[in-house]
Amino acid sequence: MRDRYGRDIYYLRISITDRCNLRCIYCMPNGIVNYIPHKDILRFEEISEIVDSATEIGFSSVRITGGEPLVRKGAPKLVGLLKEIKGIKRVTMTTNGILLNKYAEELKEKGIDSINVSLDTLDTKKYRLITRNGNLNDVLSGIEKALNIGLDIRLNVVLQKGNVDEIKELIRYSKTMGVSIRFIEYMPLDSCINLSEGSFVSSGRMIELIESEFGPIEETDYVVGDGPAKYINIKSIGIYMGIISAVSTPFCSSCNRIRITSNGIVKPCLASNIGYDIRNVVRRGHKREDITDVLIKAIDDKPLKHHLTDGNSNIEMRKIGG
């Protein structure tokens, strides 16, 4: 379905929990969270019904997010439910990787198409500092396990002043492991706004650092999945690397998604406070078109661009799923 600006909206990002087993400093700056009550979280059957209805208006790709999706009991089951829906071509997941070793085989069995793993550093001490309580070895072993059984793994790196010195090592790691890697500009959301000025590293600066180490890069039309990353070719080592420049070079004109929070709020834009309650629709007597009406409303109200740099955002990333 096209929105009023002509963008083709076919990609649903669905948060299945606001809970997480890490406390990353850019996601939970204070390390304190007030969780949504379990009764308010969408049930798997409700998510499946929403996605099934969404296919009627052209949605064909779903990404499962959190919080950390794998902390929700039975998360692989949801993958299986969504894969069975006619019209859904891709079901993917974004995870911090802590529990990937435990669930990799079940996720493969349920048919997941790819998994994005958040990996901001290869330094054990720095990883514990960024995540407050994370064990880097859990993530690395999970990635290795997933690759060994044939899962499609991709790496997400949130770029900050604290890890900018590791760009080269992270690129070499992705080359060694044979996985795609994407660097994501640090986005000023909620209480992270005050942190962002000291932490932000632009994609332009990142490219300068890459070229200083690996030589000239080449812009390409290479595409991986349904996300907004623009890919460059690092010719000297033969690797394609993705860049998501939400702040310095917004991709709003080609945005193809809407989001559903874990408590059933449909959000037209990550960086907007606009939202529509779909949970109450599926929990009362309803027709199929009642669900699609909410999704259509969200698409119709999708803004032309985000306002990340205005300083007016009040967004909790862990509740939306990025």
Side-chain angles (χ1 to χ4, degrees):
M1 179 175 174
R2 293 193 178 275
D3 69 5
R4 55 182 166 157
Y5 301 108
R7 295 171 295 197
D8 186 17
I9 312 300
Y10 64 89
Y11 181 21
L12 268 177
R13 294 179 65 102
I14 303 177
S15 171
I16 64 170
T17 181
D18 67 328
R19 297 169 187 262
C20 190
N21 46 6
L22 298 178
R23 297 289 182 273
C24 295
I25 57 176
Y26 54 80
C27 188
M28 303 180 191
N30 299 318
I32 302 171
V33 294
N34 296 310
Y35 291 123
I36 298 170
H38 283 294
K39 65 182 177 61
D40 294 335
I41 300 293
L42 286 173
R43 297 186 283 268
F44 287 165
E45 293 76 14
E46 293 168 341
I47 293 172
S48 182
E49 183 181 7
I50 292 168
V51 172
D52 190 27
S53 300
T55 61
E56 289 195 2
I57 56 173
F59 283 94
S60 60
S61 183
V62 178
R63 178 169 293 277
I64 299 169
T65 68
E68 166 50 42
L70 291 178
V71 302
R72 181 162 176 182
K73 185 178 179 180
K77 172 189 173 183
L78 178 62
V79 173
L81 289 174
L82 300 182
K83 288 291 290 184
E84 292 174 356
I85 295 174
K86 184 178 180 181
I88 293 300
K89 298 176 182 177
R90 286 178 55 79
V91 178
T92 58
M93 177 180 287
T94 296
T95 174
N96 61 33
I98 294 292
L99 297 173
L100 187 55
N101 202 332
K102 179 178 180 180
Y103 290 112
E105 291 182 355
E106 190 175 359
L107 287 166
K108 181 177 174 62
E109 177 188 333
K110 297 298 183 182
I112 199 157
D113 291 289
S114 68
I115 299 173
N116 286 6
V117 179
S118 299
L119 182 66
D120 296 336
T121 177
L122 293 171
D123 182 279
T124 301
K125 292 181 179 179
K126 193 182 294 185
Y127 186 84
R128 187 170 292 278
L129 177 66
I130 291 173
T131 62
R132 289 194 175 95
N133 63 347
N135 186 335
L136 177 62
N137 289 332
D138 290 340
V139 183
L140 298 182
S141 65
I143 291 171
E144 186 173 355
K145 170 71 172 292
L147 291 172
N148 285 341
I149 65 173
L151 284 172
D152 181 3
I153 298 296
R154 300 158 187 187
L155 305 180
N156 285 348
V157 181
V158 176
L159 192 62
Q160 308 164 71
K161 291 277 179 66
N163 65 356
V164 69
D165 60 322
E166 289 191 74
I167 289 176
K168 303 161 189 176
E169 288 75 15
L170 285 160
I171 290 173
R172 290 192 177 96
Y173 173 76
S174 71
K175 171 68 174 180
T176 299
M177 301 303 289
V179 297
S180 174
I181 188 169
R182 308 182 312 167
F183 289 90
I184 305 169
E185 284 184 345
Y186 188 25
M187 291 182 283
L189 295 173
D190 191 36
S191 49
C192 293
I193 292 173
N194 294 329
L195 296 173
S196 65
E197 290 186 4
S199 299
F200 181 76
V201 177
S202 71
S203 59
R205 175 55 180 156
M206 178 183 60
I207 289 174
E208 290 177 2
L209 293 171
I210 291 170
E211 290 190 317
S212 70
E213 176 73 10
F214 300 108
I217 58 94
E218 177 182 69
E219 293 186 8
T220 74
D221 295 325
Y222 186 70
V223 176
V224 176
D226 303 297
K230 300 294 183 182
Y231 282 81
I232 61 173
N233 180 12
I234 306 177
K235 295 186 287 185
S236 65
I237 58 173
I239 187 174
Y240 289 93
M241 189 200 79
I243 303 172
I244 298 180
S245 309
V247 178
S248 65
T249 313
F251 51 84
C252 302
S253 63
S254 60
C255 187
N256 56 6
R257 75 212 57 194
I258 61 173
R259 292 169 166 80
I260 302 178
T261 66
S262 57
N263 59 338
I265 303 299
V266 182
K267 295 185 66 65
C269 174
L270 167 67
S272 169
N273 292 315
I274 299 172
Y276 305 96
D277 189 342
I278 205 168
R279 184 189 67 207
N280 284 339
V281 173
V282 297
R283 288 190 179 177
R284 64 172 188 246
H286 64 277
K287 297 175 291 187
R288 193 174 175 87
E289 53 263 38
D290 294 330
I291 296 175
T292 55
D293 283 349
V294 178
L295 298 174
I296 290 169
K297 175 64 174 173
I299 293 172
D300 285 343
D301 287 348
K302 189 171 174 65
L304 177 61
K305 62 179 182 178
H306 69 61
H307 297 279
L308 282 171
T309 56
D310 295 355
N312 296 320
S313 296
N314 184 26
I315 310 299
E316 293 185 76
M317 181 70 84
R318 68 184 176 86
K319 292 184 178 180
I320 301 171

Coordinates of all heavy atoms in Angstrom, one line a residue, residues 67-148:
G67 N 12.5 -4.4 23.1 CA 13.3 -5.1 24.0 C 14.2 -6.2 23.3 O 14.7 -6.0 22.2
E68 N 14.4 -7.3 24.0 CA 15.1 -8.4 23.5 C 14.1 -9.5 23.2 O 13.5 -10.1 24.2 CB 16.2 -8.9 24.4 CG 16.8 -10.3 24.1 CD 17.2 -10.4 22.7 OE1 17.8 -9.4 22.1 OE2 16.9 -11.5 22.1
P69 N 13.8 -9.8 22.0 CA 12.7 -10.7 21.6 C 12.9 -12.1 22.2 O 11.9 -12.8 22.6 CB 12.7 -10.8 20.1 CG 14.0 -10.3 19.7 CD 14.4 -9.3 20.7
L70 N 14.1 -12.6 22.3 CA 14.4 -14.0 22.8 C 14.2 -14.2 24.3 O 14.2 -15.3 24.8 CB 15.7 -14.5 22.3 CG 15.9 -14.7 20.8 CD1 17.3 -15.1 20.5 CD2 14.9 -15.7 20.3
V71 N 14.0 -13.1 25.0 CA 13.6 -13.3 26.5 C 12.2 -13.6 26.6 O 11.8 -14.1 27.7 CB 14.0 -12.0 27.3 CG1 15.4 -11.7 27.2 CG2 13.1 -10.8 27.0
R72 N 11.4 -13.4 25.6 CA 10.0 -13.8 25.7 C 9.8 -15.3 25.4 O 10.3 -15.8 24.3 CB 9.1 -13.0 24.7 CG 7.6 -13.4 24.8 CD 6.7 -12.4 24.2 NE 5.3 -12.9 24.3 CZ 4.3 -12.2 23.8 NH1 4.4 -11.0 23.3 NH2 3.1 -12.7 23.9
K73 N 9.2 -16.0 26.3 CA 9.0 -17.4 26.2 C 8.3 -17.8 24.9 O 7.2 -17.2 24.6 CB 8.3 -17.9 27.4 CG 8.1 -19.5 27.5 CD 7.4 -19.9 28.7 CE 7.3 -21.4 28.8 NZ 6.6 -21.9 30.0
G74 N 8.9 -18.7 24.2 CA 8.2 -19.2 23.0 C 8.4 -18.3 21.7 O 7.7 -18.5 20.8
A75 N 9.4 -17.4 21.8 CA 9.6 -16.5 20.6 C 9.7 -17.2 19.3 O 9.1 -16.8 18.3 CB 10.8 -15.6 20.9
P76 N 10.5 -18.3 19.2 CA 10.6 -19.1 18.0 C 9.2 -19.6 17.5 O 9.0 -19.7 16.3 CB 11.5 -20.2 18.3 CG 12.4 -19.7 19.4 CD 11.4 -18.9 20.2
K77 N 8.3 -19.9 18.4 CA 7.0 -20.3 18.0 C 6.3 -19.2 17.2 O 5.6 -19.5 16.2 CB 6.1 -20.6 19.3 CG 4.6 -20.9 19.0 CD 3.8 -20.9 20.2 CE 2.3 -21.1 20.0 NZ 1.5 -21.1 21.2
L78 N 6.5 -18.0 17.5 CA 5.9 -16.9 16.8 C 6.4 -16.8 15.4 O 5.7 -16.6 14.4 CB 6.1 -15.5 17.5 CG 5.5 -14.3 16.7 CD1 4.0 -14.4 16.6 CD2 5.9 -13.0 17.4
V79 N 7.7 -17.1 15.2 CA 8.3 -17.1 13.9 C 7.6 -18.2 13.0 O 7.2 -17.9 11.9 CB 9.8 -17.5 14.0 CG1 10.4 -17.7 12.6 CG2 10.6 -16.4 14.7
G80 N 7.3 -19.3 13.6 CA 6.6 -20.4 12.9 C 5.2 -20.0 12.5 O 4.7 -20.2 11.4
L81 N 4.5 -19.3 13.4 CA 3.1 -18.8 13.1 C 3.1 -17.8 12.0 O 2.3 -17.9 11.1 CB 2.5 -18.2 14.4 CG 2.2 -19.1 15.6 CD1 1.7 -18.2 16.8 CD2 1.0 -20.0 15.2
L82 N 4.1 -16.9 12.0 CA 4.1 -15.9 10.9 C 4.5 -16.5 9.6 O 4.0 -16.0 8.5 CB 5.0 -14.8 11.3 CG 4.6 -14.0 12.6 CD1 5.6 -12.9 12.9 CD2 3.2 -13.5 12.6
K83 N 5.4 -17.5 9.6 CA 5.9 -18.1 8.4 C 4.7 -18.8 7.7 O 4.8 -19.0 6.4 CB 7.0 -19.0 8.6 CG 8.3 -18.4 9.0 CD 9.0 -17.6 7.8 CE 9.5 -18.6 6.7 NZ 10.1 -17.9 5.6
E84 N 3.7 -19.2 8.4 CA 2.6 -20.0 7.8 C 1.6 -19.1 7.2 O 0.7 -19.6 6.5 CB 1.9 -20.8 8.9 CG 2.8 -21.9 9.5 CD 2.1 -22.6 10.7 OE1 1.0 -22.2 11.1 OE2 2.7 -23.6 11.1
I85 N 1.7 -17.8 7.3 CA 0.7 -16.8 6.8 C 1.0 -16.6 5.3 O 2.1 -16.2 4.9 CB 0.8 -15.5 7.6 CG1 0.4 -15.7 9.0 CG2 -0.2 -14.5 6.9 CD1 0.5 -14.5 9.9
K86 N 0.0 -16.9 4.5 CA 0.0 -16.7 3.1 C 0.2 -15.2 2.8 O -0.5 -14.3 3.3 CB -1.2 -17.2 2.4 CG -1.2 -17.1 0.9 CD -2.4 -17.6 0.3 CE -2.4 -17.5 -1.3 NZ -3.6 -18.1 -1.9
G87 N 1.2 -14.9 2.0 CA 1.5 -13.5 1.7 C 2.7 -12.9 2.4 O 3.2 -11.9 2.0
I88 N 3.1 -13.6 3.5 CA 4.3 -13.1 4.2 C 5.5 -13.8 3.5 O 5.6 -15.0 3.6 CB 4.2 -13.4 5.7 CG1 3.2 -12.6 6.3 CG2 5.6 -13.2 6.3 CD1 3.4 -11.1 6.2
K89 N 6.4 -13.0 3.0 CA 7.6 -13.6 2.3 C 8.8 -13.7 3.1 O 9.7 -14.5 2.9 CB 7.9 -12.7 1.0 CG 6.8 -12.6 0.0 CD 7.1 -11.6 -1.1 CE 6.0 -11.5 -2.1 NZ 6.3 -10.5 -3.2
R90 N 8.9 -12.8 4.1 CA 10.1 -12.8 5.0 C 9.7 -12.5 6.4 O 9.0 -11.6 6.7 CB 11.1 -11.7 4.5 CG 11.9 -12.0 3.2 CD 12.8 -10.9 2.8 NE 13.7 -10.5 3.9 CZ 14.8 -11.2 4.2 NH1 15.1 -12.3 3.5 NH2 15.6 -10.8 5.2
V91 N 10.3 -13.4 7.3 CA 10.2 -13.1 8.7 C 11.6 -13.1 9.3 O 12.4 -14.1 9.2 CB 9.4 -14.3 9.4 CG1 9.4 -14.0 11.0 CG2 8.0 -14.3 8.9
T92 N 12.0 -12.0 9.9 CA 13.4 -11.8 10.4 C 13.3 -11.3 11.9 O 12.2 -11.1 12.4 CB 14.1 -10.7 9.6 OG1 13.4 -9.5 9.6 CG2 14.2 -11.2 8.1
M93 N 14.5 -11.2 12.5 CA 14.5 -10.9 13.9 C 15.8 -10.0 14.2 O 16.8 -10.2 13.6 CB 14.5 -12.1 14.8 CG 14.7 -11.9 16.3 SD 14.7 -13.4 17.3 CE 13.0 -13.9 17.1
T94 N 15.6 -9.1 15.1 CA 16.8 -8.4 15.6 C 17.0 -8.8 17.1 O 16.0 -8.7 17.9 CB 16.6 -6.8 15.5 OG1 16.5 -6.5 14.1 CG2 17.8 -6.1 16.1
T95 N 18.2 -9.2 17.5 CA 18.5 -9.6 18.8 C 19.8 -9.1 19.3 O 20.7 -8.8 18.5 CB 18.5 -11.2 18.8 OG1 18.9 -11.7 20.1 CG2 19.4 -11.8 17.8
N96 N 20.0 -9.1 20.6 CA 21.3 -8.8 21.1 C 22.3 -10.0 21.1 O 23.5 -9.9 21.4 CB 21.3 -8.2 22.5 CG 20.6 -9.1 23.6 OD1 20.8 -10.3 23.5 ND2 19.9 -8.5 24.5
G97 N 21.7 -11.2 20.8 CA 22.6 -12.3 20.6 C 22.9 -13.1 21.9 O 23.5 -14.2 21.8
I98 N 22.5 -12.6 23.0 CA 22.9 -13.3 24.3 C 22.3 -14.7 24.4 O 22.9 -15.6 24.8 CB 22.4 -12.4 25.5 CG1 23.2 -11.1 25.6 CG2 22.6 -13.2 26.8 CD1 24.6 -11.2 25.9
L99 N 21.1 -14.8 23.9 CA 20.4 -16.1 23.9 C 20.4 -16.9 22.6 O 19.7 -17.9 22.4 CB 19.0 -16.0 24.4 CG 18.8 -15.4 25.8 CD1 17.3 -15.1 26.1 CD2 19.4 -16.4 26.8
L100 N 21.2 -16.4 21.6 CA 21.1 -17.0 20.3 C 21.7 -18.4 20.3 O 21.1 -19.3 19.6 CB 22.0 -16.1 19.3 CG 21.9 -16.5 17.9 CD1 20.5 -16.5 17.3 CD2 22.7 -15.5 17.0
N101 N 22.7 -18.7 21.1 CA 23.2 -20.1 21.1 C 22.1 -21.0 21.6 O 22.0 -22.1 21.0 CB 24.4 -20.1 22.1 CG 25.3 -21.3 21.9 OD1 24.9 -22.3 21.4 ND2 26.5 -21.1 22.3
K102 N 21.3 -20.6 22.5 CA 20.2 -21.5 23.0 C 19.1 -21.7 22.0 O 18.5 -22.8 21.9 CB 19.6 -20.8 24.3 CG 18.5 -21.6 24.9 CD 18.0 -20.9 26.2 CE 16.8 -21.7 26.8 NZ 16.4 -21.0 28.1
Y103 N 18.8 -20.7 21.2 CA 17.6 -20.7 20.4 C 17.9 -20.9 18.9 O 16.9 -20.9 18.1 CB 16.7 -19.5 20.6 CG 16.0 -19.5 22.0 CD1 16.4 -18.6 22.9 CD2 15.0 -20.5 22.3 CE1 15.8 -18.6 24.2 CE2 14.4 -20.5 23.5 CZ 14.8 -19.5 24.5 OH 14.2 -19.6 25.7
A104 N 19.1 -20.9 18.5 CA 19.5 -20.9 17.0 C 18.8 -22.1 16.3 O 18.2 -21.9 15.2 CB 21.0 -20.9 16.9
E105 N 18.9 -23.2 16.8 CA 18.4 -24.4 16.1 C 16.8 -24.3 16.0 O 16.3 -24.7 15.0 CB 18.8 -25.7 16.9 CG 20.3 -26.0 16.8 CD 20.7 -27.3 17.4 OE1 19.8 -27.9 18.1 OE2 21.8 -27.7 17.3
E106 N 16.2 -23.9 17.1 CA 14.7 -23.8 17.0 C 14.3 -22.7 16.0 O 13.3 -22.9 15.3 CB 14.1 -23.5 18.4 CG 12.6 -23.6 18.4 CD 12.1 -23.4 19.8 OE1 12.8 -23.2 20.8 OE2 10.8 -23.5 20.0
L107 N 15.0 -21.6 16.0 CA 14.7 -20.5 15.0 C 14.9 -21.0 13.6 O 14.1 -20.7 12.7 CB 15.6 -19.3 15.3 CG 15.3 -18.5 16.5 CD1 16.4 -17.5 16.8 CD2 14.0 -17.7 16.3
K108 N 15.9 -21.8 13.3 CA 16.1 -22.4 12.0 C 15.0 -23.3 11.7 O 14.4 -23.3 10.6 CB 17.5 -23.1 11.9 CG 17.7 -23.7 10.6 CD 19.1 -24.4 10.5 CE 19.3 -25.1 9.2 NZ 19.3 -24.2 8.0
E109 N 14.6 -24.2 12.6 CA 13.5 -25.1 12.4 C 12.2 -24.4 12.1 O 11.4 -24.9 11.2 CB 13.3 -26.0 13.7 CG 12.2 -27.0 13.6 CD 11.9 -27.6 15.0 OE1 12.9 -27.7 15.8 OE2 10.8 -28.0 15.2
K110 N 12.0 -23.3 12.7 CA 10.7 -22.5 12.4 C 10.8 -21.7 11.1 O 9.8 -21.1 10.7 CB 10.4 -21.6 13.6 CG 10.1 -22.4 14.9 CD 8.9 -23.3 14.8 CE 8.6 -24.0 16.1 NZ 7.5 -24.9 16.0
G111 N 12.0 -21.7 10.5 CA 12.1 -21.1 9.2 C 12.4 -19.6 9.1 O 12.2 -18.9 8.1
I112 N 13.1 -19.1 10.2 CA 13.4 -17.7 10.1 C 14.4 -17.4 8.9 O 15.2 -18.2 8.6 CB 14.1 -17.2 11.5 CG1 14.0 -15.7 11.6 CG2 15.5 -17.7 11.6 CD1 14.1 -15.2 13.0
D113 N 14.1 -16.2 8.3 CA 14.9 -15.9 7.1 C 16.2 -15.3 7.3 O 17.2 -15.5 6.6 CB 14.0 -15.0 6.2 CG 12.8 -15.7 5.6 OD1 13.0 -16.6 4.8 OD2 11.7 -15.4 6.1
S114 N 16.3 -14.4 8.4 CA 17.6 -13.9 8.7 C 17.5 -13.3 10.1 O 16.4 -13.1 10.6 CB 18.1 -12.8 7.7 OG 17.3 -11.7 7.8
I115 N 18.7 -13.1 10.7 CA 18.8 -12.5 12.1 C 19.8 -11.5 12.1 O 21.0 -11.7 11.7 CB 19.1 -13.6 13.1 CG1 18.1 -14.8 13.1 CG2 19.3 -13.1 14.5 CD1 18.5 -16.0 14.0
N116 N 19.4 -10.3 12.6 CA 20.4 -9.2 12.8 C 20.8 -9.2 14.3 O 20.0 -9.3 15.2 CB 19.7 -7.8 12.6 CG 19.5 -7.6 11.1 OD1 19.8 -8.4 10.3 ND2 19.1 -6.4 10.8
V117 N 22.1 -9.3 14.5 CA 22.7 -9.3 15.9 C 23.4 -8.0 16.2 O 24.2 -7.5 15.4 CB 23.7 -10.5 16.0 CG1 24.3 -10.5 17.4 CG2 23.0 -11.8 15.7
S118 N 23.0 -7.4 17.3 CA 23.6 -6.1 17.7 C 25.0 -6.4 18.3 O 25.1 -7.2 19.2 CB 22.7 -5.4 18.7 OG 21.5 -5.1 18.2
L119 N 26.0 -5.8 17.8 CA 27.4 -6.0 18.2 C 28.2 -4.7 18.1 O 28.7 -4.4 17.0 CB 28.0 -7.2 17.4 CG 29.4 -7.6 17.8 CD1 29.4 -8.2 19.2 CD2 30.1 -8.5 16.8
D120 N 28.3 -4.0 19.2 CA 28.9 -2.7 19.1 C 30.4 -2.7 19.4 O 31.0 -1.6 19.2 CB 28.2 -1.7 20.1 CG 26.7 -1.5 19.8 OD1 26.4 -1.6 18.6 OD2 26.0 -1.2 20.7
T121 N 30.9 -3.8 19.9 CA 32.3 -3.8 20.2 C 32.8 -5.3 20.2 O 32.0 -6.2 20.5 CB 32.6 -3.2 21.6 OG1 34.0 -3.3 21.9 CG2 31.8 -3.8 22.7
L122 N 34.1 -5.5 20.0 CA 34.7 -6.8 20.2 C 35.6 -6.8 21.4 O 36.3 -7.8 21.6 CB 35.5 -7.1 18.9 CG 34.7 -7.3 17.6 CD1 35.6 -7.4 16.4 CD2 33.8 -8.5 17.7
D123 N 35.5 -5.8 22.2 CA 36.3 -5.7 23.4 C 35.4 -6.1 24.6 O 34.4 -5.5 24.9 CB 36.8 -4.3 23.6 CG 37.7 -4.1 24.9 OD1 37.1 -4.0 26.0 OD2 38.9 -4.2 24.8
T124 N 35.9 -7.2 25.4 CA 35.1 -7.7 26.4 C 34.7 -6.7 27.5 O 33.6 -6.6 27.9 CB 35.8 -8.9 27.1 OG1 36.1 -9.9 26.1 CG2 35.0 -9.5 28.2
K125 N 35.7 -5.9 27.9 CA 35.5 -4.9 29.0 C 34.5 -3.8 28.5 O 33.6 -3.3 29.2 CB 36.8 -4.3 29.5 CG 37.6 -5.3 30.2 CD 38.9 -4.7 30.7 CE 39.8 -5.7 31.5 NZ 41.1 -5.1 32.0
K126 N 34.7 -3.4 27.2 CA 33.9 -2.3 26.7 C 32.5 -2.8 26.5 O 31.5 -2.1 26.7 CB 34.5 -1.8 25.4 CG 33.9 -0.5 24.9 CD 34.5 -0.1 23.5 CE 35.9 0.2 23.6 NZ 36.4 0.7 22.3
Y127 N 32.3 -4.1 26.1 CA 31.0 -4.6 25.9 C 30.2 -4.6 27.3 O 29.1 -4.2 27.3 CB 31.1 -6.1 25.4 CG 29.7 -6.6 25.1 CD1 29.1 -6.4 23.8 CD2 29.0 -7.4 26.0 CE1 27.8 -6.9 23.5 CE2 27.8 -7.9 25.7 CZ 27.2 -7.7 24.5 OH 25.9 -8.2 24.2
R128 N 30.9 -5.0 28.3 CA 30.3 -5.0 29.6 C 29.9 -3.6 30.1 O 28.9 -3.4 30.7 CB 31.2 -5.7 30.7 CG 30.6 -5.9 32.0 CD 31.4 -6.8 32.9 NE 31.5 -8.1 32.4 CZ 30.5 -9.0 32.7 NH1 29.5 -8.7 33.4 NH2 30.6 -10.2 32.2
L129 N 30.8 -2.6 29.7 CA 30.5 -1.2 30.0 C 29.3 -0.7 29.3 O 28.4 -0.1 29.9 CB 31.7 -0.4 29.7 CG 31.6 1.1 30.0 CD1 31.4 1.4 31.5 CD2 32.8 1.9 29.4
I130 N 29.2 -1.0 28.0 CA 28.1 -0.5 27.2 C 26.8 -1.1 27.6 O 25.8 -0.5 27.7 CB 28.4 -0.8 25.7 CG1 29.5 0.1 25.2 CG2 27.1 -0.6 24.8 CD1 30.0 -0.3 23.7
T131 N 26.8 -2.4 27.9 CA 25.6 -3.2 28.1 C 25.3 -3.2 29.6 O 24.2 -3.7 30.0 CB 25.7 -4.6 27.6 OG1 26.8 -5.3 28.3 CG2 25.9 -4.6 26.1
R132 N 26.2 -2.8 30.5 CA 26.2 -2.8 31.9 C 26.3 -4.2 32.5 O 26.7 -4.3 33.7 CB 24.9 -2.2 32.4 CG 24.9 -0.6 32.2 CD 23.8 0.0 33.1 NE 23.8 1.4 33.0 CZ 23.1 2.2 32.1 NH1 22.3 1.6 31.3 NH2 23.2 3.5 32.1
N133 N 25.9 -5.3 31.8 CA 26.0 -6.6 32.5 C 26.2 -7.7 31.5 O 26.1 -8.9 31.8 CB 24.8 -6.9 33.3 CG 23.5 -7.0 32.5 OD1 23.5 -6.6 31.3 ND2 22.4 -7.5 33.1
G134 N 26.5 -7.4 30.2 CA 26.6 -8.4 29.2 C 27.9 -9.1 29.1 O 29.0 -8.6 29.4
N135 N 27.8 -10.4 28.6 CA 29.0 -11.2 28.4 C 29.2 -11.3 26.9 O 28.4 -12.0 26.2 CB 28.9 -12.5 29.0 CG 30.1 -13.4 28.9 OD1 30.9 -13.2 28.0 ND2 30.2 -14.3 29.8
L136 N 30.3 -10.7 26.3 CA 30.5 -10.7 24.9 C 30.7 -12.1 24.4 O 30.2 -12.4 23.2 CB 31.8 -9.9 24.6 CG 32.3 -9.9 23.1 CD1 31.2 -9.2 22.3 CD2 33.6 -9.2 23.0
N137 N 31.2 -13.0 25.1 CA 31.4 -14.4 24.7 C 30.1 -15.1 24.4 O 30.0 -15.9 23.5 CB 32.2 -15.2 25.7 CG 33.7 -14.8 25.7 OD1 34.2 -14.3 24.7 ND2 34.3 -14.9 26.9
D138 N 29.1 -14.7 25.1 CA 27.7 -15.3 24.8 C 27.3 -14.9 23.4 O 26.7 -15.8 22.7 CB 26.7 -14.8 25.8 CG 26.9 -15.3 27.2 OD1 27.6 -16.4 27.4 OD2 26.4 -14.7 28.2
V139 N 27.5 -13.7 23.0 CA 27.1 -13.2 21.7 C 27.9 -13.9 20.6 O 27.4 -14.4 19.6 CB 27.2 -11.7 21.6 CG1 26.7 -11.2 20.2 CG2 26.5 -11.0 22.7
L140 N 29.3 -13.9 20.8 CA 30.1 -14.4 19.8 C 29.9 -15.9 19.6 O 29.9 -16.4 18.4 CB 31.6 -14.2 20.1 CG 32.0 -12.7 20.2 CD1 33.5 -12.6 20.6 CD2 31.7 -11.9 19.0
S141 N 29.6 -16.6 20.6 CA 29.4 -18.1 20.5 C 28.0 -18.3 19.8 O 27.8 -19.3 19.1 CB 29.4 -18.8 21.9 OG 28.4 -18.3 22.7
G142 N 27.1 -17.4 20.1 CA 25.8 -17.5 19.4 C 25.9 -17.3 18.0 O 25.2 -18.0 17.2
I143 N 26.7 -16.3 17.6 CA 26.9 -16.0 16.1 C 27.5 -17.2 15.5 O 27.1 -17.7 14.4 CB 27.7 -14.8 16.0 CG1 27.0 -13.5 16.4 CG2 28.2 -14.6 14.5 CD1 27.8 -12.3 16.5
E144 N 28.5 -17.8 16.1 CA 29.2 -18.9 15.5 C 28.3 -20.1 15.4 O 28.2 -20.8 14.4 CB 30.4 -19.3 16.4 CG 31.3 -20.4 15.8 CD 32.5 -20.6 16.6 OE1 32.8 -19.9 17.6 OE2 33.3 -21.6 16.3
K145 N 27.5 -20.4 16.4 CA 26.5 -21.5 16.4 C 25.5 -21.3 15.3 O 25.2 -22.2 14.5 CB 25.8 -21.6 17.7 CG 24.6 -22.5 17.8 CD 25.0 -24.0 17.8 CE 23.8 -24.9 18.0 NZ 23.3 -24.8 19.4
A146 N 25.0 -20.1 15.1 CA 24.0 -19.8 14.1 C 24.6 -20.0 12.7 O 23.9 -20.6 11.8 CB 23.5 -18.4 14.3
L147 N 25.8 -19.5 12.5 CA 26.4 -19.7 11.2 C 26.7 -21.2 10.9 O 26.5 -21.6 9.8 CB 27.7 -18.9 11.1 CG 27.5 -17.4 11.1 CD1 28.9 -16.7 11.3 CD2 26.8 -16.9 9.9
N148 N 27.1 -21.9 11.9 CA 27.4 -23.3 11.7 C 26.2 -24.2 11.3 O 26.3 -25.2 10.6 CB 28.0 -23.9 13.0 CG 29.4 -23.5 13.2 OD1 30.1 -23.0 12.3 ND2 29.9 -23.6 14.4

